[in-house]
Amino acid sequence: MNYLNATPIQEQAIPKIIDGKDLIACAQTGTGKTAAYLIPLLDKISHARHDHTSTLILVPTRELAKQIDEQVEGFGYFVNATSTAIYGGGKSEGWEQQKRALTTGADIIIATPGRLIAHMQMGYVKFDKIDYLVLDEADKMLDMGFSDDILNIVRQLPKKRQTLLFSATMPNKIREFSQQILQDPEEIRLAVSKPAAGIDQQLYMAFDHQKIHVLEHLLKTQEVQSMVLFTSQKAAVGGIVRAINKLGYVAKGISSDRTQEEREVMMREFKNKQFPILVATDVLSRGIDIDNLTHVVNYDIPRAAEDYVHRIGRTARAATTGTAITFISDQDQDRVIKIEKLIERELEKRAITEELGLGPAPEFDPKRFSGLHGKGRGINGRSGGGSRDGRPRREGDKRREGGEQRRDSRGPRRESRPAPTAAENGTVAVAPSDEQAAPVSADARPPRAPRPHNGEPRPEGEQAARRRKRGGRSRGPRPEGAAGAETKPAEAPAAAQASE
C-alpha cells in the first residue's frame, strides 16, 4: 500500500487502539487517518477469529465508504478479513446485495448513517456483538445533520465496545457529542498544518456574476490539466457545468443528486483524465484520494477555515506543485480573515475584472461586509449589498453601528434622541420634538389614557401621537398657532404607577 513510515497520526493512534482504549483523534485530511485505525483493527480481527460482524465504520459520504472498503481489501489482503460498504443512491439490486451482506455477516461494515438506519428499521440487522465502532470524518457527519441517526445506531450497539472518533476539526459540538458515545477517551490532536509549500494560492475579488468570466480568463491563461471546482451550493453545480461547457471546455458535475453509478463512472473517468474539469460540492473535500490535480478552485469560500485547507490540499500532493484559485465576493470577506489567521499568512487579493471589461470588483473591506454570508445574493446569483435581515439595502441607506438611528423611509432622517423617559417606557405617549412636526396644544388633544392590556383599541388621540412618534403624520388638520406642550413632570409618577 506504499506506506514506508508511519505518519504522526498513525504513530500516536495505533498503540492506543491496540491497547483497547477509546480515542478522539483530530488530524486534517490526507494525513493517513484511515490507515491509523484500519491497521490495528485488522490486526485484532486476524487474531480474534470472530464469527460475527466485529467492526462498524460510519462515514459521511458514499465515495468515502467505497474508498475505505477498497482500502480494507488492500490492507487486509493477507488477513482474510471481509468488508461491505453500505450506502444509498444505487439501484434496487444494490439494496438486496447490502441486505445479504448484513444478514450473512462481514467482519467490517462501512456505512453512511442514513442508509444503515433504513436497513436497521427493516429488523434484520443485528449489531449486538459489535466490538469496535469508528466514526470517520465525524465533524462532517454532524455538519450534514447525521447526529440523531448516529445516536440511534449507537443505541443498538453493546455498551462494552471500543469507540474511535476521527475528525479533521475539533469544534465544541464534537466534544459534546463524543461525551455521549465514548468512555474516558484518550485524545490526540495534531494542529492543522499549513498548505503545502508547492501550492500557489491565488485570490480574486469578483461579484458572483463576474466569477464565471474571471474563470474563463484563467482557463485561457493557465495550463489546466486537471481541475476540481468546489461550490458550497448543490443547486449551483449544474449551472456552473453548463457555463464552463459553453466556454468550450469539458466539465461534469458531481453532487448528492447523482445516482451512485453515475458518481462512480464520473470519478473513474476524471481520475483517468478523460475530462479535465470536475465541479463538486464538499463531498469531495474530505478523504477522497485524487492524484495529480493541477488546479483547485473555490468558487465559494467554505464556511470553516479548516475546510479551505482541506480543499486546496487536493492539489500539490506528494511534493508536487499546484494552483489554488479562490473567488472572494462581497459577502464572504470576513471568512478570508479567518483563513489567513489559520494559515498565519496574509494572501494577496487581486482585482482583474475592470481590465477584463467586467466592471469594478468588490472592494476588500471585511468590516463593512461582516456577517452577510450570501444574504446579499440577488437574482441569478448576482451579488449586492444586503441588510442583516436579508432584504436588499436601498441606495443611500447606512449600516447601523452601535446606537445609530435607523433611517425612516417615510420622512427625513431624525436626530438621535436621548434615552427614553419613564413616560415613554410607560403608558403616556410623548409629543414629538419641534424638529419633527408642528406641535399641538394640550387643550386640542383628548386626555391620555393608560395603555390597554386587554386588546381594546387605543384612544384616537394616543394613536395620533404614537404615529407622530414613529415619524408618521397624524390624520386631519392641525390647529393653527398651537403651542408646544411637553409632558408635565407631575404626570410621570402617575404614568409609572399605571405601568406597574
Side-chain angles (χ1 to χ4, degrees):
M1 297 292 285
N2 296 320
Y3 278 99
L4 302 179
N5 300 295
T7 65
I9 186 64
Q10 294 164 0
E11 199 171 84
Q12 296 185 47
I14 290 175
K16 290 178 170 47
I17 296 173
I18 290 177
D19 289 343
K21 298 176 180 177
D22 282 9
L23 177 66
I24 300 176
C26 178
Q28 73 187 75
T29 186
T31 54
K33 292 198 300 291
T34 306
Y37 64 78
L38 279 185
I39 290 173
L41 290 181
L42 285 168
D43 180 71
K44 290 189 173 197
I45 291 170
S46 68
H47 292 91
R49 302 187 182 276
H50 295 117
D51 59 354
H52 58 271
T53 296
S54 64
T55 305
L56 174 62
I57 303 173
L58 298 179
V59 295
T61 65
R62 312 172 202 170
E63 280 72 24
L64 191 52
K66 186 172 176 57
Q67 181 171 293
I68 293 173
D69 187 31
E70 294 170 353
Q71 288 178 314
V72 170
E73 186 177 355
F75 286 125
Y77 186 79
F78 297 102
V79 178
N80 295 322
T82 58
S83 65
T84 300
I86 307 294
Y87 49 78
K91 298 178 181 178
S92 57
E93 308 91 79
W95 174 276
E96 291 301 322
Q97 292 173 358
Q98 294 172 9
K99 179 181 177 180
R100 285 196 297 272
L102 288 167
T103 51
T104 58
D107 291 303
I108 301 174
I109 299 291
I110 308 113
T112 55
R115 176 49 68 101
L116 184 59
I117 282 283
H119 280 288
M120 294 176 74
Q121 289 173 340
M122 303 300 291
Y124 48 74
V125 180
K126 301 298 181 185
F127 283 152
D128 53 338
K129 294 183 179 180
I130 287 286
D131 299 285
Y132 316 108
L133 170 65
V134 181
L135 304 181
D136 198 359
E137 301 290 359
D139 55 341
K140 193 66 179 175
M141 284 196 285
L142 295 195
D143 285 343
M144 295 171 69
F146 284 132
S147 57
D148 289 340
D149 285 346
I150 293 171
L151 291 176
N152 287 335
I153 293 169
V154 169
R155 291 188 192 104
Q156 310 296 319
L157 308 181
K159 291 186 177 180
K160 187 179 180 180
R161 64 174 189 274
Q162 184 178 13
T163 305
L164 312 174
L165 187 151
F166 284 79
S167 180
T169 62
M170 193 58 68
N172 289 333
K173 61 182 178 182
I174 286 290
R175 293 190 177 280
E176 295 167 2
F177 185 76
S178 66
Q179 292 173 3
Q180 302 180 59
I181 59 175
L182 279 76
Q183 297 180 354
D184 301 322
E186 297 278 330
E187 183 169 331
I188 299 170
R189 185 166 186 175
L190 302 182
V192 175
S193 61
K194 308 299 181 290
I199 301 178
D200 178 17
Q201 300 179 64
Q202 302 178 7
L203 275 62
Y204 293 91
M205 305 298 301
F207 288 109
D208 285 349
H209 65 281
Q210 297 171 330
K211 290 178 180 179
I212 192 66
H213 303 291
V214 176
L215 180 64
E216 178 184 12
H217 169 75
L218 296 174
L219 288 172
K220 289 178 179 178
T221 56
Q222 299 190 17
E223 188 176 345
V224 177
Q225 300 173 9
S226 183
M227 170 190 285
V228 172
L229 185 151
F230 287 108
T231 174
S232 301
Q233 305 174 58
K234 181 175 70 173
V237 171
I240 295 172
V241 168
R242 288 190 294 272
I244 294 175
N245 288 336
K246 285 181 181 179
L247 300 177
Y249 299 91
V250 180
K252 295 184 179 181
I254 186 168
S255 70
S256 58
D257 288 341
R258 295 275 188 177
T259 66
Q260 187 57 32
E261 287 77 11
E262 291 174 328
R263 287 162 67 159
E264 289 176 11
V265 169
M266 201 174 297
M267 286 295 298
R268 186 164 56 248
E269 290 178 349
F270 181 69
K271 288 181 177 181
N272 292 336
K273 313 296 183 186
Q274 292 180 245
F275 63 92
I277 302 173
L278 181 64
V279 181
T281 55
D282 276 330
V283 297
L284 293 188
S285 67
R286 299 289 190 92
I288 306 302
D289 192 18
I290 304 174
D291 294 327
N292 302 321
L293 274 182
T294 61
H295 289 72
V296 169
V297 175
N298 290 305
Y299 205 76
D300 307 300
I301 298 181
R303 286 183 300 172
E306 291 88 348
D307 285 339
Y308 170 83
V309 178
H310 298 152
R311 284 183 179 185
I312 71 173
R314 302 293 92 198
T315 186
R317 296 167 83 92
T320 60
T321 59
T323 302
I325 296 168
T326 301
F327 293 130
I328 308 172
S329 60
D330 49 357
Q331 67 270 13
D332 294 330
Q333 296 186 11
D334 52 341
R335 295 177 178 173
V336 178
I337 302 299
K338 295 176 182 177
I339 290 170
E340 292 177 331
K341 184 178 180 181
L342 177 68
I343 66 176
E344 298 177 349
R345 175 186 170 191
E346 186 175 349
L347 301 171
E348 179 188 359
K349 292 88 180 173
R350 311 177 190 184
I352 63 173
T353 55
E354 289 198 84
E355 61 190 74
L356 296 178
L358 303 174
E363 179 186 357
F364 187 71
D365 188 355
K367 291 184 179 179
R368 178 184 174 195
F369 295 108
S370 175
L372 286 182
H373 295 320
K375 292 179 182 177
R377 294 181 192 273
I379 299 174
N380 296 327
R382 292 181 181 271
S383 174
S387 63
R388 288 184 185 275
D389 57 7
R391 295 175 298 176
R393 189 178 298 120
R394 294 183 298 277
E395 185 176 350
D397 273 8
K398 189 175 181 181
R399 288 184 69 86
R400 288 172 287 132
E401 306 231 341
E404 186 181 23
Q405 186 73 27
R406 181 195 294 269
R407 171 170 286 194
D408 197 300
S409 61
R410 293 168 293 186
R413 182 171 177 173
R414 296 172 293 177
E415 297 294 327
S416 296
R417 292 187 299 194
T421 64
E424 288 178 297
N425 284 332
T427 60
V428 180
V430 178
S433 64
D434 291 337
E435 289 123 11
Q436 295 172 8
V440 180
S441 69
D443 294 335
R445 287 200 305 262
R448 296 183 178 90
R451 178 181 302 199
H453 296 283
N454 55 2
E456 296 178 3
R458 300 178 187 276
E460 178 58 28
E462 185 180 350
Q463 291 179 1
R466 290 178 66 83
R467 280 196 296 272
R468 289 195 299 276
K469 180 181 175 182
R470 294 195 302 266
R473 296 180 178 178
S474 61
R475 289 185 171 84
R478 295 193 179 98
E480 295 184 5
E486 298 296 332
T487 303
K488 298 177 182 178
E491 291 178 343
Q497 293 174 9
S499 177
E500 291 171 3

